[in-house]
Amino acid sequence: MEHIRTTKVEQVKLLDRFSTSSKSQTGTLYLTATHLLFIDANQKETWILHHHIAAVEKLALTTSGCPLVIQCKNFRIVHFIVPRERDCHDIYNSLLQLSKPVERVQGWQLVDLVEEFDRMGVPNSNWQLSDANRDYKICETYPRELYVPRSVSKPIIVGSSKFRSKGRFPVLSYYRKDNEAAICRCSQPLSGFSARCLEDEHMLQAISKANPTNRYMYVVDTRPKLNAMANRAAGKGYENEDNYSNIRFQFVGIENIHVMRSSLQKLLEVCGSRGLSVNDFLSGLESSGWLRHIKAVLEAAIFLAKAIAFEGASVLVHCSDGWDRTSQVCSLGSLLLDPFYRTIKGFMVLIEKDWIAFGHKFSDRCGQLDGDPKEISPVFAQFLESVWHLTEQFPQAFEYNEAFLLQIHEHVHSCQFGNFIGNCQKEREELKLKEKTYSLWPFLLDEQKKYRNPIYSEHFSQSFAVLEPDTVSFNFKFWRNMYHQFDHTMHPRQSVLNHVMNMREQNKLLEKDIKELEAKLGHHATKEETDAAFTKEPLRSVHPVSPVHKTLECFKKEQPLLRANDCIRTIEGANAADNRYSEYMEELSKTEPGMVSLEYGVARMTC
């Protein structure tokens, strides 16, 4: 609270940055220890978490007031006009302090990797759980529990780790039970132009032999070939096929974190420009290269998934250090192969396994700490956007919807939950996040109704051996709800998804009403049967019955009831005039009261 000088400013205007008429909303701006809150005249609230703020800019004073522009990490941009420059200056200085990254915030217990690998069918006769990294002595950025080929000994693991960047030796990421093919991950080898390592060569051979259905394996380098060759000059590089038996090498050409950061910045500049023509917007989108990078990531994952599913070959994936592009390709490849990861619970497990546990540097890449800005890059955001493109092509195959992906992206930057804090498991354990904080996943599961895809079909999802998305250029589109989710004037008046969800809820209510009515009808029918059982034999009167009454009753049973619109039927003649019984029928059709003798009392009845 020591950074807050002004807690409340009235008559503040919130501008619509895409309105051509400088449309604005007037309200009151509040500054708290955790949020910036704006309440307009209609009592609509706009909350901005301090941890979401990426930049604050105070523009030159105008006749209407002092402009204050706030850019957030989740792509929200708000433009305030504060009436007094002094108030604007106070808010500006307070936000600069309050939005600074703090030392560390909360975190929580992660998904059990042992349980997940047990679901895959590991350990087995070819793969084992190794305790070589139990104390993080071999690789600090790997988890404690690692799965390696059963034929591999600890000296081979140690030797291979020394030949790999950051000590990230090849380990199992995903195992396909039906054909025994595996996805493994690691970092680039320290091969330079000619160096080799027998332990590392033995490790790759053991991975290949752990798959008895195929003799060869792929080694996928996610970098552009030119970049990998440049790393050779620094003593790093890629595997030499002459030194490794039964491997097939493949480059897939995903750019590094610096290119991705620059590409996103260009994209945001296009998104934030007002009054662009369609041609200018599309050319700006193309020149940013963002969708081209998404396409490259998806194509790499498709190559991996097809190699596993159709060729039955194991695949080893790496980039430079094995925690950015490697995480993207391994997780997306697993998503294409396994329907479990296309469920809400499975997607959480996938993120925990391939991103959090295997050491994606969330603190550095998301700018949670005050560090090198060159380490910031939208690697995880690209993964979420790639998943969104898959949900667009296969809408029935995913249990979760777009809102689920957006909510995860929101909390990657919010620091309200501890899942995405820290760069690796060891760091999280040192911070004792398990004892101090909460996990994001229970929060999402409690509200999973909001995140369920209404057209999801479990049968449809499981009917595919592997999802094969089409990566032609026109299938990639701008994700409006990610980059313009807070610009409500740009949204369609009616969301198709919201409309489907509302119809689904209405159908549930109608089904509930039908069941209640059916239950009432069943209860009513049971009651009628019970009443009929009691009234089947009515009690007989103790008084004698009049002979006249007996006659009338007997006659009543013999005569059929005549409808009002029925004519009197003839017996012998063709018409009523020739029928000698017609007058008797007319008499009988009259409703006159019958009298009984006084000795039985007087009663009036209708025959």
Side-chain angles (χ1 to χ4, degrees):
M1 295 294 290
E2 65 272 13
H3 300 304
I4 301 178
R5 300 178 183 178
T6 302
T7 58
K8 177 181 177 181
V9 182
E10 297 179 341
Q11 298 301 313
V12 176
K13 294 181 180 179
L14 174 61
L15 298 184
D16 184 348
R17 61 189 183 126
F18 289 100
S19 174
T20 56
S21 60
S22 299
K23 186 179 178 181
S24 64
Q25 296 174 341
T26 303
T28 304
L29 192 65
Y30 298 88
L31 190 61
T32 71
T34 57
H35 290 80
L36 182 68
L37 170 62
F38 177 80
I39 303 178
D40 63 16
N42 297 322
Q43 298 301 308
K44 181 182 178 181
E45 299 179 355
T46 302
W47 293 78
I48 300 175
L49 189 68
H50 294 329
H51 286 296
H52 279 171
I53 297 177
V56 184
E57 186 177 6
K58 185 166 75 74
L59 304 180
L61 184 65
T62 64
T63 55
S64 57
C66 188
L68 185 68
V69 180
I70 300 173
Q71 297 183 7
C72 299
K73 297 174 184 176
N74 56 1
F75 309 117
R76 167 182 279 184
I77 299 177
V78 291
H79 194 160
F80 292 113
I81 300 294
V82 183
R84 297 175 56 190
E85 184 180 14
R86 181 177 178 179
D87 292 336
C88 183
H89 185 72
D90 289 343
I91 295 291
Y92 170 77
N93 286 330
S94 298
L95 289 177
L96 287 179
Q97 297 297 323
L98 294 169
S99 63
K100 278 186 177 180
V102 295
E103 183 179 353
R104 286 291 187 272
V105 193
Q106 304 176 353
W108 196 72
Q109 173 67 36
L110 307 179
V111 170
D112 186 5
L113 281 178
V114 175
E115 181 180 341
E116 169 58 12
F117 279 97
D118 182 65
R119 184 192 68 85
M120 300 181 202
V122 179
N124 53 37
S125 59
N126 295 316
W127 294 90
Q128 65 176 342
L129 174 61
S130 173
D131 61 353
N133 198 47
R134 178 159 295 176
D135 298 322
Y136 300 108
K137 291 182 179 179
I138 297 179
C139 180
E140 294 185 347
T141 58
Y142 268 173
R144 292 179 184 271
E145 295 84 11
L146 296 170
Y147 292 84
V148 296
R150 192 168 287 278
S151 61
V152 168
S153 62
K154 188 172 181 178
I156 292 176
I157 294 174
V158 174
S160 177
S161 68
K162 292 180 179 179
F163 189 66
R164 294 282 171 173
S165 177
K166 310 297 184 183
R168 296 172 68 90
F169 59 94
V171 295
L172 181 67
S173 173
Y174 176 76
Y175 179 77
R176 190 172 176 87
K177 192 184 302 184
D178 58 353
N179 63 3
E180 300 185 75
I183 299 175
C184 297
R185 57 184 297 166
C186 62
S187 60
Q188 64 181 335
L190 306 178
S191 57
F193 289 103
S194 59
R196 60 186 296 183
C197 174
L198 295 178
E199 290 86 356
D200 193 69
E201 293 169 17
H202 185 84
M203 174 68 82
L204 265 65
Q205 187 177 13
I207 293 174
S208 179
K209 289 182 177 180
N211 179 8
T213 62
N214 201 314
R215 293 186 177 181
Y216 65 88
M217 64 176 289
Y218 284 99
V219 176
V220 175
D221 192 327
T222 60
R223 300 169 293 179
K225 186 175 182 178
L226 188 62
N227 294 15
M229 293 180 66
N231 281 339
R232 278 190 162 185
K236 301 177 182 179
Y238 53 93
E239 292 82 358
N240 187 339
E241 292 185 72
D242 296 333
N243 298 333
Y244 295 87
S245 59
N246 299 325
I247 73 165
R248 297 182 180 181
F249 202 84
Q250 181 74 33
F251 287 105
V252 293
I254 303 173
E255 298 291 348
N256 60 32
I257 61 171
H258 311 295
V259 174
M260 300 304 185
R261 181 177 61 251
S262 176
S263 177
L264 178 62
Q265 185 59 41
K266 292 176 182 177
L267 177 70
L268 296 180
E269 289 176 2
V270 174
C271 297
S273 300
R274 187 172 65 178
L276 285 180
S277 65
V278 174
N279 288 337
D280 291 340
F281 176 80
L282 293 177
S283 62
L285 184 62
E286 170 63 23
S287 63
S288 72
W290 183 253
L291 293 180
R292 188 166 61 252
H293 298 316
I294 298 293
K295 183 176 185 289
V297 172
L298 271 177
E299 286 177 339
I302 293 168
F303 174 84
L304 181 151
K306 287 183 175 180
I308 295 287
F310 301 144
E311 299 183 44
S314 294
V315 182
L316 176 66
V317 184
H318 70 73
C319 50
S320 296
D321 294 322
W323 50 46
D324 290 318
R325 289 166 282 192
T326 301
S327 294
Q328 288 178 330
V329 175
C330 288
S331 56
L332 285 171
S334 301
L335 190 74
L336 295 175
L337 288 165
D338 197 331
F340 173 67
Y341 297 131
R342 300 194 283 271
T343 65
I344 291 176
K345 177 69 179 299
F347 193 67
M348 298 173 182
V349 173
L350 181 67
I351 292 174
E352 289 281 0
K353 175 174 67 72
D354 276 319
W355 290 88
I356 297 173
F358 276 102
H360 176 66
K361 301 167 67 176
F362 279 103
S363 287
D364 290 347
R365 297 293 180 259
C366 300
Q368 295 173 356
L369 304 176
D370 191 10
D372 186 1
K374 293 182 180 179
E375 286 291 306
I376 298 174
S377 187
V379 178
F380 188 73
Q382 280 186 321
F383 162 70
L384 293 178
E385 185 158 346
S386 299
V387 175
W388 175 76
H389 276 90
L390 292 176
T391 63
E392 290 291 294
Q393 288 201 33
F394 302 96
Q396 288 183 277
F398 291 83
E399 185 184 19
Y400 41 86
N401 57 24
E402 180 185 53
F404 183 67
L405 302 176
L406 292 173
Q407 189 72 353
I408 291 174
H409 181 265
E410 178 90 3
H411 289 295
V412 167
H413 297 284
S414 71
C415 295
Q416 289 179 294
F417 300 92
N419 303 67
F420 304 106
I421 293 174
N423 290 325
C424 61
Q425 292 282 54
K426 181 185 178 183
E427 190 174 321
R428 296 183 185 99
E429 289 182 10
E430 291 173 348
L431 293 171
K432 298 181 179 179
L433 299 180
K434 181 179 177 180
E435 302 172 9
K436 298 178 181 178
T437 61
Y438 296 95
S439 170
L440 170 63
W441 309 135
F443 170 76
L444 295 180
L445 287 174
D446 287 343
E447 299 186 343
Q448 60 181 307
K449 287 185 178 179
K450 293 165 51 178
Y451 308 124
R452 285 190 181 278
N453 175 15
I455 60 174
Y456 167 68
S457 170
E458 184 178 359
H459 174 74
F460 179 86
S461 182
Q462 294 179 351
S463 64
F464 288 89
V466 57
L467 291 184
E468 297 182 69
D470 192 348
T471 57
V472 293
S473 299
F474 58 75
N475 279 330
F476 293 89
K477 51 190 177 183
F478 176 70
W479 192 3
R480 187 202 64 223
N481 283 344
M482 168 68 95
Y483 304 105
H484 284 302
Q485 59 180 306
F486 303 108
D487 300 312
H488 299 291
T489 56
M490 300 193 67
H491 292 193
R493 293 184 179 180
Q494 185 179 35
S495 168
V496 175
L497 178 62
N498 291 340
H499 185 63
V500 173
M501 293 291 284
N502 291 336
M503 290 182 64
R504 187 181 182 186
E505 291 300 320
Q506 291 176 4
N507 288 341
K508 287 182 179 179
L509 293 175
L510 291 174
E511 289 173 0
K512 182 180 178 182
D513 292 342
I514 290 172
K515 289 180 180 179
E516 290 178 354
L517 291 173
E518 287 176 346
K520 289 180 179 179
L521 287 173
H523 178 71
H524 184 68
T526 305
K527 185 178 180 182
E528 285 185 345
E529 290 175 359
T530 305
D531 294 343
F534 281 109
T535 60
K536 189 173 184 181
E537 295 183 0
L539 293 175
R540 295 179 179 178
S541 175
V542 295
H543 301 287
V545 181
S546 167
V548 178
H549 181 68
K550 286 182 178 180
T551 305
L552 290 172
E553 287 295 328
C554 294
F555 182 75
K556 184 177 180 182
K557 289 180 182 177
E558 292 173 359
Q559 297 300 324
L561 295 175
L562 296 176
R563 290 186 298 231
N565 59 350
D566 285 350
C567 63
I568 298 175
R569 299 189 180 189
T570 63
I571 298 177
E572 292 182 341
N575 51 60
D578 298 330
N579 191 356
R580 55 187 170 177
Y581 296 103
S582 60
E583 58 186 49
Y584 295 102
M585 297 300 294
E586 289 175 0
E587 289 295 328
L588 291 173
S589 64
K590 295 179 181 179
T591 58
E592 292 183 356
M595 305 296 293
V596 297
S597 62
L598 291 174
E599 61 178 301
Y600 298 109
V602 180
R604 184 182 297 272
M605 63 188 72
T606 303
C607 294

